[in-house]
């Protein structure tokens, strides 16, 4: 659950062009030194990651003496400011040294934030990854493969710009391949994506937060029925529940403030991370046996954001549950692992490139990392969750059960995105040099879709099986064929047989209809195809692991599931030559949405 209200200058139209420069929205602001006042103003947005600040501040808007921050001698005042334009004005004018948003939003604002040496932004902490932002689509848009030429609606300058950018890059598309309707607000007003989606059937998809997603579809795994306010056929096309490394929440600080007040900045980060540790522990207690501390945090959350935004205590719990804290281990890896495909350097490049390419900025202004001594940060905050070992995200047994269930007919419905890697006849290895781009694509997709399973489904051409089937059938005198090359007609025991109907042929083979001919056994050939495709899938999996290791990238092996499909799903059931046969020789990479039971719980996502 996330809410951003962007109040645009001259924002009279809900449909806007994307190329409006962020600096034009901010307007002329006199850059001034940071006001030397206590407490220091800290902007917050409506998001669960803020609760780490609430705890560090003593569950109070102003720092209490006995709080984490208070014991460090720090004094902060938390304010709600969901408008990045207003935040930027306050940041430049010196009202606050801090700026709060997502990494993509920071990239959009980076040129404006960097207009003076004093205000050059430093990213001081990653707070969380989002698990509560979604693209909801109508029934004809069932995967990211079908995005081209569609029309979507999302909030301008908000967190969903990055979500859409990641979705497009996954599908090998650009913003020019889609049409966009821009709104001022993200939720709760007539000029929000959900409301536009409801009223305009020509809109194919909308970027929404969790409450709106539930209202449109009935739930993450559901398809709207048209009842109880849902949109008939509406479904979650993609969600940060699976695309879990798309929206990174961060804090920025001005360069001049960081130089003059390094201890305050270090204390702010250390205290915040300690607050996150406590939130995680309190939440686990609350869900198992109850927690008075967490109850108080929920009340503070509802009070701070208001009952209009957080109507109930359960909504406050939902806000926190949609947030995936990264904690101390996540910050270390995010900032210090230069090869991390979802780390600071990677997001810095993608967000600032987006800003220039889409016209939010004229020039690229990369953000700066904090260069912290993390041992000092851990000591300063009294952190206890500093050496968390990241276990396998996916439970192998539960994932296999899901896959088996999906394979009965729901696989397409659970597929978020898919692409194929082709191979040559009898090929079992995937040389890295030859398949470098394909393998890099798989690693990129797996890194972004951290909570989705990646199926490596290898397929074989059915030609050899068909040949053996015909020969065995003819020798058994149960199969007759008439016509000639290119126009053969077949019958089985006097009834027409369409050999392009692969499922029926497999059923007949498995029933033993063609058994008994020593030199021609389609059952054995079909099993050989399964074994071969399984070997191909496992070979590709090994190549992916090797490529990741060679590039210093850590991947979660439990996320990948190699599968041998054999001849069951050919592109061309009855090939007429080698070129057609080769189209069947492929490994299909599917990104799939799984049930929540498949994933092993962990304190932090990094």
């Amino acid at each position: 659950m996330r809410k951003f209200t962007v109040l645009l200058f001259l924002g009279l139209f809900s449909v806007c062009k994307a190329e409006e420069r962020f600096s034009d929205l901010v307007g002329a602001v006199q850059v001034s030194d940071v006001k030397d006042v206590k407490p220091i103003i800290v902007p917050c947005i409506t998001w669960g990651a803020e609760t780490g600040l609430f705890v560090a501040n003593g569950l109070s808007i102003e720092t209490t003496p006995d709080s984490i921050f208070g014991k460090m001698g720090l004094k902060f005042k938390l304010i709600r400011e969901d408008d990045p334009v207003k935040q930027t004005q306050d940041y430049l004018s010196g009202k606050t040294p801090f700026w709060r948003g997502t990494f993509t939003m920071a990239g959009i604002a980076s040129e404006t934030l960097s207009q003076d040496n004093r205000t050059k932004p430093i990213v001081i902490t990653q707070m969380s990854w989002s698990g509560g932002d979604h693209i909801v689509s109508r029934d004809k848009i069932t995967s990211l493969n079908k995005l081209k030429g569609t029309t979507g609606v999302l909030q301008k300058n908000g967190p969903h710009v990055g979500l859409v950018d990641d979705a497009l890059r996954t599908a090998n598309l650009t913003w020019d391949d889609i049409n966009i309707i821009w709104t001022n607000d993200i939720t709760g007003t007539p000029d929000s994506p959900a409301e536009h989606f409801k009223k305009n059937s020509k809109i194919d998809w909308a970027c929404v937060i969790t409450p709106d997603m539930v209202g449109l579809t009935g739930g993450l795994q559901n398809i709207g029925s048209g009842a109880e306010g849902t949109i008939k056929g509406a479904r979650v096309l993609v969600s940060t529940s699976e695309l879990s490394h798309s929206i990174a929440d961060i804090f920025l600080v001005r360069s001049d403030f960081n130089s003059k007040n390094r201890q305050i900045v270090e204390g702010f980060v250390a205290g915040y991370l300690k607050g996150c540790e406590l939130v995680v522990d309190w939440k686990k207690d609350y869900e198992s046996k109850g927690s008075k501390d967490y109850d108080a945090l929920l009340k503070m959350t509802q009070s701070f954001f208001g009952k209009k935004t957080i109507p109930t205590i359960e909504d406050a719990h939902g806000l926190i549950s949609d947030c995936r804290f990264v904690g101390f281990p996540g910050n270390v890896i995010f900032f210090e692992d230069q090869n991390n495909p979802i780390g600071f350097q990677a997001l810095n490049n993608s967000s600032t490139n987006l800003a220039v390419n889409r016209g939010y900025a004229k020039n690229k202004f990369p953000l700066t990392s904090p260069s912290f001594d993390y041992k000092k940060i851990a000591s300063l905050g009294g952190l206890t969750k500093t050496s968390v070992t990241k276990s396998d995200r996916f439970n192998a047994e539960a994932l296999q059960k899901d896959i088996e269930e999906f394979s009965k007919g729901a696989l397409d419905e659970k597929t978020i995105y898919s692409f194929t890697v082709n191979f040559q006849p009898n090929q079992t290895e995937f040389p890295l040099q030859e398949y470098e781009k394909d393998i890099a694509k798989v690693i990129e997709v797996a890194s972004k879709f951290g909570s989705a399973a990646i199926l490596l489904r290898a397929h074989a051409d059915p030609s050899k099986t068909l040949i053996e089937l015909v020969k065995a059938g003819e020798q058994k005198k149960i199969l007759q064929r008439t016509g000639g090359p290119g126009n053969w007609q077949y019958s089985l025991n006097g009834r027409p047989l369409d050999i392009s109907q692969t499922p029926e042929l497999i059923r007949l083979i498995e029933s033993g209809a063609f058994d008994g001919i020593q030199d021609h056994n389609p059952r054995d050939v079909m099993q050989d195809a399964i074994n071969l495709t399984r070997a191909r899938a496992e070979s590709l999996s090994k190549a992916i692991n090797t490529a990741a290791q060679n590039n210093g990238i850590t991947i979660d092996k439990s996320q990948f599931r190699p599968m041998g499909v054999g001849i069951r799903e050919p592109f061309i059931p009855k090939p007429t030559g080698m070129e057609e046969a080769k189209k069947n020789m492929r490994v299909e990479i599917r990104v799939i949405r799984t049930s929540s039971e498949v994933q092993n719980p962990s304190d932090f996502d990094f």
Side-chain angles (χ1 to χ4, degrees), residues 326-359:
V326 303
F328 178 86
N331 272 263
V332 174
I333 290 175
F334 184 77
F335 288 108
E336 298 201 336
D337 183 353
Q338 299 300 310
N339 297 315
N340 185 355
I342 53 169
F344 172 81
Q345 195 57 53
L347 268 62
N348 203 6
N349 289 334
S350 64
S351 64
T352 51
N353 283 338
L354 172 66
V356 173
N357 294 339
R358 293 298 298 155

Side-chain angles (χ1 to χ4, degrees), residues 249-303:
D249 285 275
I250 59 173
F251 257 107
L252 307 179
V253 73
R254 287 175 46 143
S255 293
D256 57 354
F257 186 86
N258 181 66
S259 298
K260 296 176 183 177
N261 301 278
R262 183 70 169 181
Q263 288 184 333
I264 294 176
V265 174
E266 292 173 337
F268 177 81
V269 172
Y272 172 72
L273 294 176
K274 183 61 181 179
C276 292
E277 288 188 350
L278 293 175
V279 173
V280 168
D281 287 341
W282 295 353
K283 181 174 179 286
K284 284 192 287 189
D285 288 342
Y286 172 83
E287 292 173 341
S288 62
K289 60 185 179 181
S291 167
K292 291 183 178 179
D293 291 322
Y294 193 74
D295 287 336
L297 174 61
L298 294 178
K299 290 178 181 178
M300 163 74 177
T301 302
Q302 185 185 38
S303 173

Side-chain angles (χ1 to χ4, degrees), residues 514-535:
F514 300 94
D515 288 352
I517 303 301
Q518 183 174 358
D519 296 328
H520 302 290
N521 191 329
R523 184 197 292 269
D524 287 347
V525 175
M526 190 169 69
Q527 183 59 52
D528 288 343
I530 292 175
N531 296 339
L532 179 61
T533 54
R534 185 182 297 120

Side-chain angles (χ1 to χ4, degrees), residues 25-250:
L25 301 177
V26 173
V29 179
Q30 179 65 47
V31 176
S32 303
D33 292 338
V34 177
K35 306 294 187 295
D36 187 16
V37 295
K38 298 292 189 297
I40 299 169
I41 299 295
V42 178
C44 299
I45 65 174
T46 309
W47 180 232
E50 268 40 30
T51 54
L53 280 179
F54 297 168
V55 172
N57 221 37
L59 296 182
S60 173
I61 290 176
E62 292 200 20
T63 306
T64 61
D66 60 345
S67 66
I68 296 170
F69 284 148
K71 290 176 181 178
M72 293 181 181
L74 305 176
K75 293 182 179 181
F76 299 116
K77 181 179 180 179
L78 310 180
I79 66 167
R80 180 184 178 185
E81 187 49 81
D82 287 322
D83 178 6
V85 171
K86 180 62 165 59
Q87 273 205 47
T88 302
Q89 293 167 341
D90 291 344
Y91 176 95
L92 295 175
S93 66
K95 180 178 178 180
T96 174
F98 296 105
W99 192 95
R100 170 74 178 90
T102 70
F103 214 119
T104 299
M105 295 168 66
I108 289 172
S110 59
E111 180 182 57
T112 308
L113 297 172
S114 303
Q115 65 180 271
D116 188 290
N117 284 333
R118 291 170 290 177
T119 62
K120 285 184 177 179
I122 300 172
V123 183
I124 54 173
T125 186
Q126 184 195 4
M127 305 166 73
S128 68
W129 294 106
S130 166
D133 295 277
H134 321 272
I135 300 179
V136 170
S137 65
R138 301 194 190 276
D139 51 5
K140 67 178 181 179
I141 314 298
T142 54
S143 75
L144 295 182
N145 300 77
K146 298 184 178 182
L147 269 180
K148 188 170 183 177
T150 60
T151 297
V153 57
L154 67 151
Q155 182 207 22
K156 190 173 186 182
N157 296 329
H160 294 152
V161 174
L163 176 62
V164 173
D165 193 57
D166 280 335
L168 290 172
R169 285 191 289 116
T170 296
N172 296 320
L173 299 174
T174 71
W175 288 82
D176 292 334
D177 291 315
I178 59 174
N179 306 301
I180 293 294
I181 295 174
W182 298 96
T183 69
N184 289 338
D185 306 315
I186 201 170
T187 189
T189 75
D191 191 21
S192 64
E195 292 304 311
H196 280 266
F197 189 73
K198 290 176 184 177
K199 296 173 183 177
N200 186 350
S201 61
K202 293 183 179 180
I203 294 175
D204 298 304
W205 50 269
C207 292
V208 298
I209 59 175
T210 295
D212 289 331
M213 177 273 289
V214 174
L216 294 172
T217 69
L220 185 64
Q221 303 277 354
N222 297 345
I223 296 177
S225 64
E228 299 181 344
T230 64
I231 303 297
K232 186 172 179 59
R235 67 182 68 212
V236 175
L237 177 67
V238 67
S239 165
T240 52
S241 178
E242 305 95 22
L243 185 52
S244 55
H245 297 143
S246 176
I247 301 180
D249 285 275
I250 59 173

